[in-house]
Amino acid sequence: MTKQQISQEHLSRRLLRKTLNGPGVSFALFWIGTLVICAVFAPFLANSMPLMMSKEGEISFPILQYLRTEDVAVLAAFFTIILLWVIPIKFKFRVNLALVVAVLAAVVVLANLYLKPPQLVIYDNFRTAAYTEVDWRVMPPIPYAPQDYLRSYGGTGLEAPLAAEADQQARIHLMGTEENGADVLSRMIHASRIALSIGIVATSISMILGIIIGGFMGYFSGIVDMLGMRLVEIFEAIPTLFLLLTFVAFFGSSLYMMMVIIGVTSWSGYARYIRAEFLKLRRQDYVQAAVAAGLPLRSILFRHMLPNGVAPLLVAASFGVASAILAEATLSFLGLGLVDDPSWGQMLNQSVTSANFNWWMAVFPGGAIFLTVFAYTLIGEAFRDAIDPNLSRAAGVQ
């Protein structure tokens, strides 16, 4: 590609191309993509109930009867994103539709959470004759649910990967079992949903707050900027981890509460980025022309200025997702995280709580936390290099 071609290349395409060419980005995208697939299709990848079976000539889908509202919402959101990516419509409509679907999914999940009691599933029943003595059946690749404690086998407790005791009972646990007897690989797959959701949702909340507050600070300057900076300094002085510990002590552990607290206390860094960009952009000719044309403030800020100042924010967002995942893992490791749902930090805690050091409970969850944070860091570093003005001038892009 010649300098002239690079100079005429669209900015977003150039940034994407340079980001994808960054060192380690292919590995990072592969790992994040694997986690997304695991998070979206977790009930179909690791579960104790058959995906499909035939008994006396009647075909049934037991797994569909026990799908939670969260599972359906995640699947709907995933396929909506794929559909919006494929359909040739304007970017603005794609973003608006994605926001509408996200809000609807959140409302449905929260309404179901508070209005409908959780469904009790006895996983040992799926190992009885009603589900085993059939014409044929199709099981998930990992035939154990994350809350299946294998009590029908007499209670297994901690077992190393491919332990002899499991082999004698015709069980296969590639990553062993945890202290209650649940399969570690199944819990690893389902825990990826917790890690990704808390990282993405918490970062989205903080970005929205940071963009709105930072945008007003940078555009109006003066007294608005001064008051906004004092607010930023106040929130930067709040220790997120201790605030999380306080809320958990008073209100109990909740994934949604963690998302909100991490998001509300982390917006100050994004506000600083947007403020700095808007202070530069407010004197540009196209902004002054938009003001002279009488465009509404929201159009000037978020339609004309934001697209030209959002690039540094995306770099910070990748690091923000990694920080949110680390915060949840730290809380779970301290024993103050989620109770019913599996978490990497929770499993990591089990490696040191018993008398012996259980290496598989440290290596697999700890490795997943490290690789996820490392992958987001690689993407952030590559994107930062892509928007570096010195690199842009070297490529001939003004």
Side-chain angles (χ1 to χ4, degrees):
M1 183 177 293
T2 64
K3 281 190 174 183
Q4 184 177 3
Q5 290 174 323
I6 295 177
S7 301
Q8 296 174 350
E9 188 178 9
H10 195 277
L11 177 61
S12 60
R13 292 183 179 274
R14 182 184 66 82
L15 293 179
L16 179 61
R17 174 177 57 79
K18 291 181 69 64
T19 301
L20 295 178
N21 291 335
V25 173
S26 298
F27 162 76
L29 292 177
F30 171 78
W31 177 253
I32 298 299
T34 302
L35 291 182
V36 170
I37 296 299
C38 290
V40 173
F41 299 102
F44 303 95
L45 295 175
N47 221 320
S48 299
M49 56 194 72
L51 300 174
M52 180 191 309
M53 71 177 193
S54 173
K55 187 173 185 178
E56 298 178 355
E58 182 179 352
I59 298 177
S60 60
F61 302 86
I63 195 169
L64 298 181
Q65 303 173 14
Y66 294 92
L67 282 180
R68 300 179 301 174
T69 306
E70 294 90 337
D71 301 328
V72 177
V74 170
L75 287 168
F78 176 78
F79 286 110
T80 300
I81 292 173
I82 297 297
L83 190 63
L84 291 176
W85 182 271
V86 174
I87 296 178
I89 57 177
K90 292 184 178 181
F91 179 76
K92 182 175 71 172
F93 294 117
R94 291 183 182 180
V95 173
N96 291 336
L97 287 175
L99 290 175
V100 170
V101 171
V103 171
L104 289 177
V107 170
V108 170
V109 170
L110 291 175
N112 181 79
L113 178 67
Y114 291 103
L115 299 178
K116 182 180 178 182
Q119 185 179 14
L120 177 63
V121 182
I122 302 176
Y123 294 102
D124 291 331
N125 292 341
F126 296 102
R127 286 185 284 272
T128 61
Y131 291 92
T132 57
E133 297 178 3
V134 295
D135 302 332
W136 54 266
R137 65 176 185 168
V138 178
M139 293 295 294
I142 312 299
Y144 307 103
Q147 289 90 11
D148 186 357
Y149 301 119
L150 307 177
R151 294 189 176 92
S152 59
Y153 292 101
T156 60
L158 283 162
E159 288 182 351
L162 304 175
E165 295 85 351
D167 188 57
Q168 292 173 1
Q169 297 179 338
R171 293 183 287 111
I172 299 178
H173 302 287
L174 298 178
M175 292 185 179
T177 59
E178 48 99 68
E179 60 183 12
N180 295 314
D183 183 78
V184 172
L185 180 54
S186 174
R187 293 178 71 82
M188 288 283 295
I189 292 174
H190 283 261
S192 62
R193 177 178 295 183
I194 303 296
L196 289 181
S197 61
I198 199 168
I200 294 174
V201 174
T203 303
S204 299
I205 293 173
S206 57
M207 282 185 64
I208 292 173
L209 292 175
I211 288 173
I212 294 174
I213 298 175
F216 282 112
M217 289 165 55
Y219 180 77
F220 289 106
S221 186
I223 186 66
V224 175
D225 185 31
M226 185 180 68
L227 294 176
M229 286 304 297
R230 301 295 80 77
L231 187 64
V232 166
E233 291 168 359
I234 291 172
F235 274 86
E236 286 183 341
I238 298 175
T240 303
L241 182 58
F242 288 104
L243 186 63
L244 282 169
L245 293 174
T246 303
F247 270 82
V248 168
F250 281 97
F251 305 106
S253 59
S254 169
L255 177 64
Y256 305 104
M257 181 189 68
M258 292 183 193
M259 292 176 179
V260 172
I261 292 176
I262 294 174
V264 169
T265 57
S266 304
W267 60 266
S268 56
Y270 303 105
R272 284 182 178 273
Y273 279 110
I274 289 296
R275 170 185 174 272
E277 292 297 318
F278 276 32
L279 284 174
K280 293 187 299 183
L281 295 174
R282 62 195 292 262
R283 297 301 181 187
Q284 297 292 323
D285 292 341
Y286 70 91
V287 176
Q288 297 300 316
V291 174
L295 294 180
L297 180 62
R298 66 177 184 275
S299 178
I300 297 173
L301 292 178
F302 304 117
R303 184 177 180 182
H304 295 280
M305 296 180 68
L306 182 60
N308 294 283
V310 75
L313 194 69
L314 299 179
V315 178
S318 62
F319 297 114
V321 173
S323 299
I325 293 173
L326 276 178
E328 187 278 328
T330 302
L331 205 65
S332 298
F333 179 77
L334 295 175
L336 299 171
L338 303 177
V339 178
D340 298 327
D341 296 318
S343 168
W344 291 339
Q346 177 194 83
M347 289 185 282
L348 190 61
N349 173 264
Q350 295 180 12
S351 65
V352 295
T353 52
S354 63
N356 299 319
F357 175 70
N358 308 301
W359 64 267
W360 63 95
M361 297 301 298
V363 171
F364 299 123
I369 294 172
F370 169 77
L371 289 176
T372 304
V373 173
F374 184 55
Y376 279 111
T377 303
L378 286 176
I379 294 174
E381 292 281 353
F383 197 82
R384 185 183 65 183
D385 293 342
I387 65 174
D388 191 303
N390 295 323
L391 297 177
S392 298
R393 294 191 196 97
V397 180
Q398 302 299 326

